[in-house]
């Protein structure tokens, strides 16, 4: 049997949550970070099913890490929110940028490795067992013991499953199709628009369908998908069939679902009461729960890294690894406030109990003056705030650095 290696901190999963946690620890506690280990099952660049939309909230997280995203992207200047025949548009320069996750995550991983931190790629976690002094991890390559394990291994988290964390509900379903596009013939490409179409709520889907222009390996494409949060257990409409609704929506865009390459993956959304920590274990990103309103997860996963770094530093200072402070710390942090705010809005909207009210809201949003639209956008961290420190604010004070 191979020797058991000991590390103070092991991060399982090298997506935005795991990589941002490593980077925050490197900034906050460089000595501690030098001995951490990050385990990633795949090798970079690795595929990750996603819409690839990075909002201003995501840019803010990158700035906090002192990182500039020099990866190919499509910059969106106009966000359209549709409900049936009603829609309202919000324009803002670089309101969102659409990236390829394989490139984005690989660039984040390069930044982690450039700081001298240990990353084992191609090493999959197979089992996790709690011991009185920490967690024993069994991987495809060997055995480890860690004082602290950070589970950043996504919506289907193995750490979560093996340690039998509770609250298995709160899982959304998403489907996606990529298709090549002729930019000259696609108006939303020409106008640099991203569409969020909530019309599927009327078919019993508790989410929206998206239309994002993007580049895939340099070729113009459309990234289209549908998100069903399943947040409202007792909604007045019977639950719709996701694939069927998506197929109809794609047909309106001249895409035959039977001919398209359909892919699906879950996203876990955050619930106030969900179990997110145990002695010696913290959950992050999709393993803990992200945004229930838009299934936005990249920025939230990265922000988890900041809260986790605070909790881990406090634990090593006090030599108390119970992590009973993690939930209150998260709920006090802007991350927790935003997650709860978006979940409350998702519950209200996707329950679809008062359809005329939402029609009225869409009309009001359409006719609202720009400062009002901006204030609501900033409150939801979809647009930058107007004052430093407000939600959605990009802290320009943090210097960026190139990844490539
Ligand atoms: C179809 C779809 C569209 C989406 N669109 C958007 C969008 O446009 N914008 C947005 O912000 N969010 C979007 N999201 C959500 C976003 O993709 C996730 O919230 C985000 O990736 C969460 O990051 P994470 O680091 O927690 O997990 P992940 O990105 O899933 O990373 C987990 C990592 O852990 C690794 N791993 C898994 N198991 C193991 C194991 N046993 N051992 C070792 N490593 C392991 C994986 O290989 C992976 O690298 C979308 C999600 C889906 C499914």
């Amino acid at each position: 049997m191979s020797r058991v290696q000991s590390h103070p901190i092991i991060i399982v999963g090298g997506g935005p949550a795991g990589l941002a946690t490593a980077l925050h620890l490197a900034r906050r506690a460089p000595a501690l970070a030098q001995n951490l280990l990050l385990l990633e099952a795949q090798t970079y660049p690795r595929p990750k099913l996603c819409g690839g939309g990075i909002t201003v909230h995501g840019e803010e997280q990158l700035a906090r890490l002192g990182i500039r995203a020099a990866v190919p992207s499509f910059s969106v200047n106009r966000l359209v929110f549709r409900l049936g025949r009603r829609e309202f548009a919000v324009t803002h320069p670089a309101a969102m940028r659409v990236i390829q996750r394989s490139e984005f995550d690989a660039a984040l991983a390069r930044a982690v490795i450039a700081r001298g931190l240990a990353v084992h790629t191609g090493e999959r976690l197979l089992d996790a067992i709690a011991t009185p002094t920490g967690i024993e991890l069994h991987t495809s390559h060997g055995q480890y013991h860690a004082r602290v394990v950070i589970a950043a291994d996504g919506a289907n988290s193995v750490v979560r499953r093996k340690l039998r964390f509770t609250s298995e509900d709160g899982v959304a379903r998403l489907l996606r199709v990529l298709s090549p596009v002729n930019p000259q013939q696609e108006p939303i490409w020409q106008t640099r628009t991203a569409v969020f179409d909530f019309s599927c709520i009327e078919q019993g889907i508790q989410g929206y369908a998206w239309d994002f222009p993007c580049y895939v390996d340099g070729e113009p494409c459309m990234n289209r998908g549908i998100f069903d949060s399943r947040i409202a257990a007792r909604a007045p409409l019977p639950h719709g069939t996701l694939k069927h609704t998506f197929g109809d929506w794609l047909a309106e865009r001249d895409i035959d679902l039977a001919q398209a390459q359909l892919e699906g993956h879950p996203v876990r959304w955050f619930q106030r009461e969900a179990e997110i920590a145990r002695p010696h274990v913290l959950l992050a990103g999709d393993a803990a729960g992200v945004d229930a309103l838009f299934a936005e997860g990249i920025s939230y996963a990265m922000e988890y890294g900041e809260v986790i770094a605070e909790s881990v530093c406090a634990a090593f200072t006090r030599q108390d690894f119970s992590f009973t402070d993690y939930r209150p710390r998260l709920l006090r942090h802007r991350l927790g406030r935003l997650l709860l705010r978006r979940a409350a809005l998702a519950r209200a909207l996707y329950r679809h109990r008062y359809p005329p009210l939402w029609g009225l809201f869409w009309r009001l949003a359409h006719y609202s003056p720009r400062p009002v639209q901006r204030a609501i956008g900033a409150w939801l961290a979809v647009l930058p705030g107007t004052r430093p420190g407000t939600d959605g604010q990009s802290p320009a004070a943090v210097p960026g650095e190139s990844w490539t």
Side-chain angles (χ1 to χ4, degrees):
M1 187 182 282
S2 60
R3 200 169 59 86
V4 177
Q5 288 183 38
S6 281
H7 289 270
I9 304 167
I10 295 185
I11 301 171
V12 183
L19 295 165
T21 299
L23 290 168
H24 275 293
L25 280 166
R27 280 171 84 98
R28 210 182 163 100
L32 199 55
Q34 282 314 306
N35 295 314
L36 74 71
L37 172 64
L38 190 149
L39 298 172
E40 165 55 44
Q42 302 192 53
T43 49
Y44 301 104
R46 56 105 180 85
K48 164 71 184 99
L49 192 66
C50 193
I54 310 253
T55 59
V56 291
H57 183 221
E59 302 296 352
E60 176 195 337
Q61 301 315 312
L62 292 168
R64 280 186 191 281
L65 288 167
I67 280 175
R68 188 158 50 83
V71 290
S73 62
F74 186 95
S75 185
V76 164
N77 298 333
R78 191 163 165 266
L79 307 174
V80 167
F81 299 89
R82 193 171 287 154
L83 181 71
R85 278 178 289 115
R86 297 187 207 292
E87 66 175 42
F88 67 92
V90 179
T91 48
H92 184 79
M96 191 171 93
R97 125 182 109 107
V98 188
I99 49 86
Q100 256 187 283
R101 281 294 298 278
S102 53
E103 294 170 340
F104 182 82
D105 292 18
L108 264 184
R110 281 199 296 279
V112 171
I113 293 164
R115 280 155 178 77
L117 309 188
V119 177
H120 288 191
T121 56
E123 184 162 357
R124 180 175 292 277
L125 176 79
L126 303 175
D127 204 359
I129 300 160
T131 72
T133 55
I135 305 293
E136 200 178 285
L137 298 177
H138 297 247
T139 74
S140 50
H141 290 36
Q143 279 184 42
Y144 300 87
H145 181 272
R147 294 301 292 281
V148 176
V149 165
I150 291 140
D153 49 347
N156 295 324
S157 170
V158 172
V159 178
R160 207 187 150 92
R161 202 170 61 242
K162 292 293 178 184
L163 294 177
R164 295 179 193 281
F165 272 67
T166 54
S167 177
E168 284 303 318
D169 53 352
V171 176
R173 304 272 178 266
L174 293 93
L175 301 175
R176 187 201 72 173
V177 162
L178 282 178
S179 38
V181 69
N182 179 348
Q184 266 73 46
Q185 289 170 6
E186 181 54 73
I188 74 169
W189 180 285
Q190 304 268 323
T191 51
R192 297 197 162 269
T193 298
V195 177
F196 299 79
D197 188 346
F198 293 84
S199 311
C200 59
I201 298 177
E202 283 166 2
Q203 272 88 58
I205 301 301
Q206 298 176 12
Y208 67 95
W210 72 84
D211 242 328
F212 293 173
C214 65
Y215 289 102
V216 175
D217 301 331
E219 296 299 321
C221 274
M222 292 303 296
N223 183 323
R224 296 187 170 106
I226 191 163
F227 155 59
D228 188 4
S229 67
R230 300 175 174 221
I231 196 169
R234 285 194 298 274
L237 289 173
H239 210 99
T241 316
L242 195 58
K243 194 170 167 188
H244 186 255
T245 308
F246 191 38
D248 289 349
W249 187 82
L250 286 175
E252 290 167 17
R253 285 147 184 83
D254 294 329
I255 293 173
D256 179 0
L257 184 58
Q259 306 297 320
Q261 199 190 339
L262 180 69
E263 296 173 274
H265 194 75
V267 162
R268 182 180 296 279
W269 40 264
F270 179 75
Q271 305 183 74
R272 183 190 280 270
E273 307 307 334
E275 189 183 15
I276 52 170
R278 289 256 179 97
H280 303 282
V281 188
L282 294 168
L283 305 187
D286 269 10
V290 293
D291 161 40
L293 184 62
F294 295 118
E296 184 186 346
I298 303 169
S299 56
Y300 289 87
M302 289 194 287
E303 200 164 14
Y304 266 100
E306 187 172 312
V307 184
I308 291 208
E310 280 176 20
S311 290
V312 168
C313 290
F316 277 96
T317 305
R318 290 195 237 113
Q319 289 294 299
D320 171 0
F321 299 97
S322 61
F323 289 121
T324 49
D325 65 330
Y326 181 48
R327 183 193 310 279
R329 197 184 285 278
L330 180 71
L331 295 177
R332 272 198 312 272
H333 193 276
R334 196 191 66 153
L335 169 64
R337 297 202 309 272
L338 264 178
L339 287 170
L340 292 180
R341 190 176 295 168
R342 286 205 179 182
L345 210 54
R347 272 193 193 90
L349 174 60
Y350 298 147
R351 201 166 279 163
H352 200 54
R353 196 162 283 167
Y354 308 107
L357 199 66
W358 287 106
L360 183 69
F361 175 80
W362 245 256
R363 200 171 308 164
L364 281 176
H366 176 71
Y367 290 111
S368 288
R370 272 179 67 99
V372 175
Q373 285 186 344
R374 266 192 81 127
I376 296 172
W379 184 71
L380 285 171
V382 175
L383 293 177
T386 46
R387 284 177 294 111
T390 55
D391 289 348
Q393 164 76 21
S394 294
V398 184
E401 67 188 50
S402 182
W403 291 5
T404 49

